[in-house]
Each structure stands twice: as C-alpha cells, then as structure tokens.
Amino acid sequence: MAGSQQKSWLTDTLESLPSIVFLVAWRGGGDIAFAGWLGAASALALLLGFRFYRMPFNPILLGINLHLAAITPLIVASFHLGVTDLARLLLRSSESGVLISVFLTGCLLTLFSGRGFVGDATMPRRLRLQFSASLLAVTAALIPWSFAHAGQTLVSLAVPFMILFALRRFLIARWHDKAGGNSSAFAGLAMPAGETH
C-alpha cells in the first residue's frame, strides 16, 4: 500500500508540472501569451507521455492539463479566424474556466472510464458512480464561486482545488478502509477457533 501511495504521489507531482511551468512563466513577469504556449506545450507533452507509457491519470489533474493544452490555441485560433467575441470570452474566463474543463472531464470519465471521476478501478461500479457523482456535484458548485472571485487566484482556484483533491483522497481512503475491514473480517471468520496472528 505504501508503494502504491508513493507511486501516486510521484505521478501527481509529474502531472502538476505543466501548471507549475505556466505559473512560473506568468507570475515571473513573462508575457501571458508566452506563458500560455509554454503551459500548453508542457501539458500536451505530459498527456502524450502518460498515454504512451500507460500511466494512470489523476482525474482532476487530467482536466487541468487538458485545459492548459487547449485554451491558448483556442484563443489564438479564434482571434485569427476573426471570432473576436469568442476569443475575448475565452480570454476573460480562461482562469476560472479550468473548473469547467475539470467538470467536463469528470463527466466523460464517469460515463466512459473504468476508473470513474474518482479514479479508482478497485471500487464496485455502483460505489464508483456514487463517489464520482459526489465529486462532480462539488465541482459544479465550485464553478460559480470561482467566477465570482475571478482575478483572485488563491480564492478562485487554489481553494476549490484544495477542496477537490481533499475530497477525492477522503473518498478513496474511505473505500480502502472499508474494503480492508471487510477483508479482515472474512479472514477472521475463516480462521480456526483459538488461532491468532
């Protein structure tokens, strides 16, 4: 279990790198367009690398990286195509819009992935759907909060994602604790009377 947790921590750290690259380039006084393209390239490279090596995605970070990979090309393409209203809308909502990307990614994962939005294939299907739906509901509730606090990155994004990451960890831990308890109970029933470990 410890090895699995260490692997999960490592992959989560790797999946966070595109966001870190974008924020460092942007907050370091760089041009927002350059930071956007750098974030998009980093996210795309990571997505392709994880897919090539068949590494499991963190479902929340997957939504963030898909947003990073798509938003700058979409904004630039909209401006070049003359769809300036759409381009300005995307530009204005690019920060808080990441939660919309996470929500849409979560919907697709819940419907079509064996791991669901909660990201755990070991759960029974009904429980996986229930936990994924809970995550989706919380994500949906956090979208208007994020837009209401747009421009305040700590409040609009950091707080919502802290909630989502903590909730996902809690749901997975709850399932594994329950599954472990059931396994111990079955082992105890199968143990001959008087035999202990």
Side-chain angles (χ1 to χ4, degrees):
M1 185 71 174
S4 176
Q5 288 178 343
Q6 289 175 354
K7 183 179 179 182
S8 176
W9 180 86
L10 178 60
T11 55
D12 284 359
T13 301
L14 287 173
E15 284 185 89
S16 300
L17 288 178
S19 296
I20 295 171
V21 167
F22 169 74
L23 288 172
V24 169
W26 179 31
R27 296 298 186 181
D31 180 64
I32 184 62
F34 170 75
W37 281 113
L38 192 59
S42 301
L44 184 59
L46 182 132
L47 291 168
L48 292 174
F50 266 56
R51 184 65 178 172
F52 180 79
Y53 289 106
R54 298 182 183 276
M55 297 171 69
F57 291 100
N58 177 306
I60 299 170
L61 288 168
L62 175 60
I64 294 173
N65 285 322
L66 287 171
H67 181 84
L68 273 175
I71 192 65
T72 298
L74 280 174
I75 292 171
V76 172
S78 297
F79 273 122
H80 279 300
L81 293 172
V83 193
T84 54
D85 289 341
L86 175 61
R88 291 194 180 99
L89 175 63
L90 291 171
L91 190 59
R92 285 196 306 270
S93 60
S94 60
E95 184 177 291
S96 298
V98 67
L99 277 166
I100 297 177
S101 297
V102 171
F103 177 78
L104 294 175
T105 300
C107 289
L108 292 174
L109 291 174
T110 299
L111 292 173
F112 302 112
S113 169
R115 299 174 71 237
F117 188 30
V118 74
D120 193 325
T122 67
M123 291 181 185
R125 183 175 182 275
R126 183 175 179 179
L127 188 64
R128 188 170 65 245
L129 287 173
Q130 178 185 330
F131 283 176
S132 294
S134 298
L135 264 177
L136 285 171
V138 173
T139 305
L142 288 169
I143 290 172
W145 163 276
S146 183
F147 276 95
H149 297 87
Q152 306 172 55
T153 306
L154 180 63
V155 180
S156 68
L157 288 183
V159 171
F161 280 117
M162 285 172 62
I163 292 171
L164 290 179
F165 285 123
L167 177 59
R168 177 175 177 257
R169 291 284 185 187
F170 169 77
L171 293 173
I172 291 175
R174 181 180 174 186
W175 155 243
H176 283 289
D177 285 347
K178 183 178 178 181
N182 287 340
S183 297
S184 298
F186 288 134
L189 288 172
M191 192 182 301
E195 186 175 340
T196 59
H197 286 279

